[in-house]
Amino acid sequence: MDIKSKNINTIISPELKTNYKNFPMVPRVIFGAGCFGQLGEILMPKRINSESPFIFLVDDVFEGTGLISRIPLIFNDQLIFISADEEPKTDQVDALVHKIKSDYDDLPSGIIGIGGGTLLDLAKAVAIMLTNKGNSYQYQGWDLVKKPSIYHVGIPTISGTGAEVSRTTVLLGPDKKLGINSDYTTFDQVLMDPDLTKGVPKEQWFYTGMDCFIHCIESLNGTFLNAFSQSYGEKALELCKEVYLEDLQEDVARNKLMMASWHGGMSIAYSQVGVAHAMSYGLSYLLGVRHGIGNCLVFQHLKEFYPEGVELFNEMKEKHNILLPKGICKELTNDDFEIMINVALSLVPLWENALGKEWRTIVTPEKLKSIYQKI
Ligand code: NAD
Ligand code: ZN
């Protein structure tokens, strides 16, 4: 065999085929205080025609505020206010898709989600379900979406979840809380205007910001860690520490937390979350505890898994005088605990990331019950 043909053989040899994931990223992003004012010019070239509207899904916390008059509605565009009191459900997505299809003959030009993780996830899911048949629960899982979604834009108004960059939309379905993870989920455009986060109440600012902090700790301490995730995770962690432990000017802190959220989301794209998220999903499924606070409630008791992370978390919590609620699981029955434990244990990749392939030797139902009982 001459050298040339040997090289060709090495290239095509099946045992050398790698298995890395090829992820989409948000192709366009605008960042800066006040950039919401550019939304109209960003959307204009994406308008299919005057019959094909833009649908704005907006957190109803903004109803009656100045932000609404700045939304660039023209032609038959529609603004739909949505409460973020409960996290998104598959039924809710299906109902929105049904409404949009019956309100218009044509598919919309795009969906714009304005709000926190709840509204961003709804916008992603609605954009997918406008072009894919059936009910949204059928797509909860990995890579089940068949057809590209319609154009969709994410405009975060609170920072931390990383939902603005991720390729998932987390939905509560009839039998599970699980994301629609697909290449078509990722936003086509993200607009990050830190001014939009000005009115966030302090507790919520802490809980959602801690979602980002916990993403970093879980990613950086996981067995799936790699240079890609580490580079984003370390940056996000550094930003979280500045925001929550230093005394930054408010506008500086808003800018930094928005970028922390972005980097934290990028970090878990190529790794996974861990123990706090697995257990928080259990709390959320049974009790409807929201993501940010649920993560905090669990994370405070995870010293044996993340000793340094928990120490930092406690420092941040004290600095901002955050009192986490207590006794959440006090009244629960054995069956209740079992439901939460089963939900948590079903999230195999999260445990594998946290503790390695042999995680079942470390994490038992009894152990999880003892942690839940402390909450
Ligand atoms: P959220 O969207 O649930 O909102 C929390 C609260 O903050 C709500 O009451 C909302 O009205 C309020 N709020 C938002 N912006 C505000 C503002 N500017 N001023 C005043 N109030 C404001 O909060 P979240 O923590 O961003 O999102 C949680 C959701 O995100 C969960 O459903 C979770 O499953 C999801 N999530 C998704 C991903 C993903 O990658 N897709 C990642 C993490 C979390
Ligand atoms: Zn999270």
Side-chain angles (χ1 to χ4, degrees):
M1 200 190 297
D2 65 28
I3 290 180
K4 210 167 155 200
S5 62
K6 184 165 173 244
N7 279 345
I8 288 168
N9 275 338
T10 337
I11 292 165
I12 58 173
S13 147
E15 66 271 22
L16 290 180
K17 192 176 169 293
T18 57
N19 204 13
Y20 296 108
K21 298 210 168 87
N22 181 17
F23 282 133
M25 294 195 8
V26 174
R28 274 186 183 264
V29 54
I30 176 168
F31 172 85
C35 74
F36 189 75
Q38 286 171 253
L39 182 59
E41 71 194 52
I42 291 170
L43 296 180
M44 195 56 84
K46 300 292 175 186
R47 193 177 283 280
I48 297 169
N49 57 46
S50 58
E51 303 295 307
S52 189
F54 279 111
I55 309 290
F56 297 82
L57 306 180
V58 183
D59 190 319
D60 68 2
V61 76
F62 294 109
E63 206 165 350
T65 68
L67 181 77
I68 301 309
S69 56
R70 296 173 64 207
I71 294 179
L73 292 173
I74 49 175
F75 302 126
N76 55 353
D77 290 352
Q78 192 175 160
L79 191 161
I80 304 175
F81 285 115
I82 294 175
S83 160
D85 285 351
E86 288 182 3
E87 294 187 344
K89 298 191 173 55
T90 51
D91 283 353
Q92 189 184 9
V93 171
D94 298 337
L96 279 165
V97 169
H98 182 78
K99 174 180 166 50
I100 294 168
K101 283 190 170 165
S102 54
D103 284 354
Y104 300 95
D105 295 333
D106 298 4
L107 271 182
S109 295
I111 304 291
I112 295 102
I114 305 180
T118 298
L119 267 292
L120 297 181
D121 278 359
L122 274 174
K124 290 172 170 186
V126 168
I128 289 171
M129 293 311 299
L130 279 165
T131 52
N132 286 274
K133 288 204 179 78
N135 298 96
S136 48
Y137 71 80
Q138 296 167 283
Y139 297 93
Q140 284 180 289
W142 281 269
D143 302 307
L144 302 172
V145 179
K146 305 284 180 303
K147 293 194 187 145
S149 58
I150 68 166
Y151 176 76
H152 52 305
V153 180
I155 306 185
T157 65
I158 179 169
S159 302
T161 63
E164 65 279 16
V165 287
S166 72
R167 78 189 275 283
T168 188
T169 158
V170 184
L171 302 176
L172 187 64
D175 52 25
K176 54 188 177 250
K177 182 178 176 187
L178 186 62
I180 301 181
N181 297 266
S182 86
D183 284 355
Y184 304 124
T185 309
T186 315
F187 282 116
D188 297 295
Q189 166 83 55
V190 169
L191 184 148
M192 294 201 285
D193 180 345
D195 281 355
L196 301 185
T197 67
K198 270 183 185 167
V200 175
K202 187 174 99 175
E203 263 73 26
Q204 192 62 53
W205 166 79
F206 185 81
Y207 300 145
T208 300
M210 284 304 108
D211 189 23
C212 175
F213 172 74
I214 295 169
H215 290 158
C216 299
I217 300 296
E218 293 184 326
S219 167
L220 292 170
N221 293 284
T223 61
F224 295 178
L225 189 65
N226 53 73
F228 184 100
S229 291
Q230 190 176 3
S231 66
Y232 286 106
E234 283 174 349
K235 188 67 210 179
L237 181 59
E238 180 192 314
L239 291 167
C240 285
K241 284 191 203 163
E242 286 182 54
V243 169
Y244 288 99
L245 292 174
E246 292 177 18
D247 296 295
L248 303 177
Q249 239 172 272
E250 277 185 22
D251 58 334
V252 175
R254 278 197 298 272
N255 290 344
K256 289 194 186 235
L257 192 56
M258 198 159 249
M259 288 319 299
S261 175
W262 181 273
H263 282 80
M266 286 299 298
S267 178
I268 46 175
Y270 227 86
S271 68
Q272 233 331 328
V273 284
V275 182
H277 274 77
M279 295 193 67
S280 162
Y281 271 40
L283 277 181
S284 163
Y285 185 78
L286 182 76
L287 303 171
V289 176
R290 308 243 293 260
H291 188 76
I293 190 170
N295 284 346
C296 292
L297 288 170
V298 175
F299 193 74
Q300 61 179 337
H301 300 299
L302 299 184
K303 208 162 186 172
E304 66 172 295
F305 301 107
Y306 306 112
E308 288 160 19
V310 174
E311 207 161 292
L312 271 172
F313 173 81
N314 287 333
E315 263 179 66
M316 295 172 174
K317 195 175 67 144
E318 267 154 45
K319 182 168 168 73
H320 297 285
N321 299 314
I322 302 293
L323 292 176
L324 290 172
K326 288 200 171 99
I328 304 283
C329 298
K330 207 170 62 192
E331 318 261 280
L332 298 185
T333 63
N334 281 335
D335 287 352
D336 291 336
F337 280 111
E338 205 172 305
I339 293 171
M340 290 198 295
I341 291 166
N342 287 339
V343 171
L345 289 178
S346 72
L347 298 162
V348 174
L350 282 65
W351 293 105
E352 249 182 58
N353 174 46
L355 304 165
K357 285 248 179 279
E358 303 302 317
W359 62 273
R360 284 182 205 273
T361 60
I362 307 168
V363 165
T364 57
E366 295 71 42
K367 165 146 245 147
L368 294 193
K369 186 168 179 186
S370 75
I371 298 174
Y372 278 130
Q373 279 170 329
K374 290 187 204 159
I375 293 173

